[in-house]
Amino acid sequence: MSKQFDVVVIGGGPGGYIAAIRAAQLGFNTACIDEWKNDKGGPAPGGTCTNVGCIPSKALLQSSEHFEHAGHGFADHGIAMNDLKIDIAKMVGRKDTVVKQNNDGILYLFKKNKVTFFHGRGSFVAAKDGGYELKVAGAAEETITAKHVIVATGSNARQLPGAPFDETNILSNDGALRIPAVPKKLGVIGSGVIGLEMGSVWRRLGADVTILEALPAFLGAADESVAKEAAKVFKKQGLNIELGVKISSVENGKDGVAVKYTDAKGAEQTLAVDKLIVSIGRVANTIGLNPEAVGLKLDERGAIVVDDECKTNLPNVWAVGDVVRGPMLAHKAEEEGVAVAERIAGQHGHVNFNTIPWVIYTSPEIAWVGRTEQQLKADGVAYKAGQFPFLANGRARALGDTTGFVKFLADAKTDEILGVHIIGPMASELISEAVVAMEFKASAEDIARICHAHPSLSEATKEAALAVDKRTLNF
Ligand code: FAD
Ligand code: NAI
């Protein structure tokens, strides 16, 4: 007889493994199927995020930032560095260790929470007895049944037509995280989150990086003032970003890659590089899931169709994370996973899409939550803005990192915070205060009246809130 579960989660990325843990906590007999393999063929749960996404990219960002500080930043502190070297193999090895620690951590959490883990590919076989029959194809093949299925199969990098990833010269995020030596010239197509983060890593390590972007505006999703500041800083750092280009062809040769494109002025150009990262977005992944077997509905882009509660068109089949609509972010996937497990238990799981933070882990970091100034204008909302520069923050001066600012946008009448936009040191951490504030529908005045530790970067947040009412104390 096949093994029976209350809940089976297909996919063990942040959406899937978190959903499985929460379902098990709620008392369901739960299994999670994930097919990711480590280099020895063993299980490596954690999905894109853990294996080739959030975690390894942040490990390399940290290493490359240390290198840049040692080369350029330490001198100001009176620390002399002679003969600075970087061992790329060691740096990549450290990143791999960090990844493995996270893989092992998830396997431990499965054990702790009594989640049954299957290493292999999960697919739908048929709807059966009010539930679903699923096949697991791994080292051993087996059939299991589930009353509820949560699909969390994630996403894959989008390929540029005519330029398939070979992960040697033309790299997706996967190859971009394990380039064996610093390329002299690195090309990046797409100035989105991956392009900026991975471009920054390899620039800091010495590569001459050129990013080609199709859109005429830089970082269109960010607040315009943040995007403008970021463009200025990245240019100063030596990141070449060309906007408004149209790629005509990509030739992958023995000596590298030649990218032919039309620039914003309409002139034909060729960019010759040793390696090319293509980071032009990601596509939902349902490869091998066999959704047709049960009639699971996908949209025209291949994403699983879900409603606001992550319900699919099938009873008791749910989908979360990158494989459904909405931002492709690990924390969004996690929140959806928890909410679905709670809904299965008859609770009222909820994800507030208005307070999902965005972070770009460049230097300076960029982070925001809520609406941008241009969105508020487009929505016809009357608002007040307040901004405070890190240049006027004592802790930032002591750190030697005074680039950027915190910006508050608040409702003109009620003072409710509508958006917070940060470019500067530790923006990824500072944004949490804004998320909490917005979740509690706080006003700018609320933040302005809260005691913030001195000296701390968070004082810039308080001052930006004060700036909404034109009463900063330190600027
Ligand atoms: P995934 O993490 O993609 O996991 C899906 C899992 O399902 C995979 O393990 C896959 O092998 C498995 N799977 C698929 N099909 C099957 C099947 N049929 N059977 C069994 N298993 C299957 N987001 C952030 O919030 N912060 C960041 O800093 C960040 N950095 C990123 C950096 C990079 C380079 C990239 C590429 C992405 C980054 N992201 C970041 C995005 C983040 O990784 C994704 O949003 C997140 O991983 C989505 O989680 P998920 O669970 O939906 O899918
Ligand atoms: P992205 O959507 O962030 O950026 C893609 C960029 O490529 C866009 O600016 C787009 O205009 C451009 N583009 C598309 N087609 C093009 C073409 N033919 N020629 C030139 N430019 C083109 O996608 P990216 O960087 O691939 O990342 C995928 C997703 O992964 C992100 O949307 C994000 O959700 C997630 N991610 C999140 C991170 C974080 O939270 N810090 C870090 C990295 C990735």
Side-chain angles (χ1 to χ4, degrees):
M1 207 175 110
S2 63
K3 288 180 189 144
Q4 294 181 342
F5 295 93
D6 300 323
V7 178
V8 172
V9 185
I10 306 179
Y17 89 79
I18 289 290
I21 289 173
R22 187 70 190 116
Q25 283 176 347
L26 289 162
F28 294 112
N29 179 15
T30 305
C32 181
I33 313 169
D34 187 80
E35 66 178 344
W36 206 294
K37 287 185 187 138
N38 60 26
D39 51 7
K40 295 186 180 72
T48 301
C49 167
T50 301
N51 293 294
V52 291
C54 324
I55 301 299
S57 61
K58 269 78 246 178
L60 293 188
L61 278 156
Q62 192 60 52
S63 299
S64 59
E65 195 166 358
H66 283 326
F67 183 70
E68 184 156 78
H69 282 174
H72 303 290
F74 282 7
D76 279 353
H77 295 259
I79 304 167
M81 293 293 300
N82 297 320
D83 202 17
L84 187 67
K85 284 198 189 85
I86 176 105
D87 179 340
I88 297 292
K90 192 159 183 188
M91 180 188 80
V92 172
R94 173 188 175 273
K95 178 260 300 176
D96 292 340
T97 305
V98 173
V99 167
K100 187 169 181 321
Q101 286 164 346
N102 282 271
N103 297 141
D104 292 347
I106 295 166
L107 290 170
Y108 161 77
L109 290 171
F110 281 161
K111 269 208 188 100
K112 180 181 162 206
N113 289 281
K114 300 191 174 51
V115 172
T116 304
F117 176 66
F118 293 98
H119 187 213
R121 174 168 283 186
S123 57
F124 283 103
V125 177
K128 199 176 168 194
D129 305 331
Y132 295 88
E133 195 171 85
L134 304 167
K135 188 171 88 182
V136 185
E141 203 159 287
E142 51 188 312
T143 302
I144 60 177
T145 59
K147 285 187 202 145
H148 290 266
V149 180
I150 304 175
V151 181
T153 46
S155 63
N156 292 317
R158 169 173 292 138
Q159 307 225 18
L160 193 68
F165 296 125
D166 64 359
E167 303 299 4
T168 303
N169 284 346
I170 301 182
L171 314 169
S172 70
N173 54 297
D174 185 1
L177 288 160
R178 49 186 171 83
I179 302 179
V182 181
K184 258 205 179 106
K185 282 181 162 259
L186 174 70
V188 180
I189 301 188
S191 69
V193 204
I194 295 179
L196 291 174
E197 290 187 358
M198 295 317 300
S200 293
V201 166
W202 295 105
R203 179 203 58 75
R204 290 170 188 168
L205 299 174
D208 174 4
V209 180
T210 300
I211 304 183
L212 301 176
E213 165 62 45
L215 293 177
F218 179 60
L219 268 187
D223 190 86
E224 264 167 16
S225 53
V226 168
K228 211 166 134 199
E229 175 78 2
K232 200 175 78 191
V233 180
F234 294 151
K235 188 169 174 202
K236 205 166 148 208
Q237 290 173 348
L239 210 53
N240 313 308
I241 303 174
E242 275 204 51
L243 301 173
V245 311
K246 190 170 184 315
I247 310 290
S248 335
S249 69
V250 175
E251 258 171 57
N252 187 356
K254 235 182 30 231
D255 301 325
V257 185
V259 183
K260 293 210 161 85
Y261 65 97
T262 313
D263 69 17
K265 291 184 184 133
E268 298 296 321
Q269 304 283 359
T270 302
L271 175 72
V273 291
D274 303 302
K275 306 272 178 197
L276 180 73
I277 297 174
V278 177
S279 47
I280 56 169
R282 298 179 61 81
V283 283
N285 168 44
T286 54
I287 297 169
L289 182 68
N290 200 17
E292 309 81 28
V294 287
L296 180 63
K297 204 166 149 193
L298 310 186
D299 69 15
E300 62 291 346
R301 293 168 307 118
I304 296 177
V305 177
V306 288
D307 66 8
D308 288 350
E309 299 200 314
C310 294
K311 279 186 187 142
T312 68
N313 64 312
L314 301 174
N316 301 336
V317 178
W318 311 73
V320 301
D322 281 11
V323 77
V324 305
R325 46 74 194 122
M328 288 188 171
L329 295 173
H331 41 285
K332 175 263 193 185
E334 291 181 14
E335 293 303 314
E336 285 183 334
V338 168
V340 163
E342 293 179 349
R343 284 169 197 142
I344 292 173
Q347 298 180 0
H348 299 281
H350 179 64
V351 182
N352 184 355
F353 276 82
N354 297 322
T355 54
I356 293 177
W358 277 87
V359 179
I360 307 177
Y361 293 81
T362 43
S363 177
E365 291 184 345
I366 296 167
W368 71 89
V369 59
R371 281 184 279 179
T372 61
E373 202 164 342
Q374 58 270 26
Q375 281 170 333
L376 291 175
K377 280 184 188 148
D379 294 348
V381 177
Y383 65 91
K384 302 176 283 183
Q387 196 166 309
F388 187 82
F390 283 106
L391 200 60
N393 175 273
R395 183 76 195 280
R397 285 195 203 118
L399 286 172
D401 198 352
T402 52
T403 311
F405 53 82
V406 180
K407 174 173 170 177
F408 264 61
L409 299 168
D411 189 282
K413 233 193 202 153
T414 65
D415 196 37
E416 182 181 342
I417 302 165
L418 302 174
V420 176
H421 304 271
I422 309 176
I423 174 166
M426 301 309 278
S428 57
E429 301 295 333
L430 294 174
I431 200 65
S432 293
E433 181 179 7
V435 176
V436 173
M438 285 187 64
E439 196 62 52
F440 284 89
K441 296 206 170 297
S443 62
E445 180 74 17
D446 286 329
I447 299 298
R449 284 186 178 277
I450 289 171
C451 180
H452 288 67
H454 176 78
S456 71
L457 297 170
S458 71
E459 287 173 293
T461 306
K462 178 188 171 102
E463 291 274 6
L466 282 164
V468 169
D469 204 25
K470 299 196 174 35
R471 52 191 177 96
T472 52
L473 297 164
N474 284 288
F475 186 60

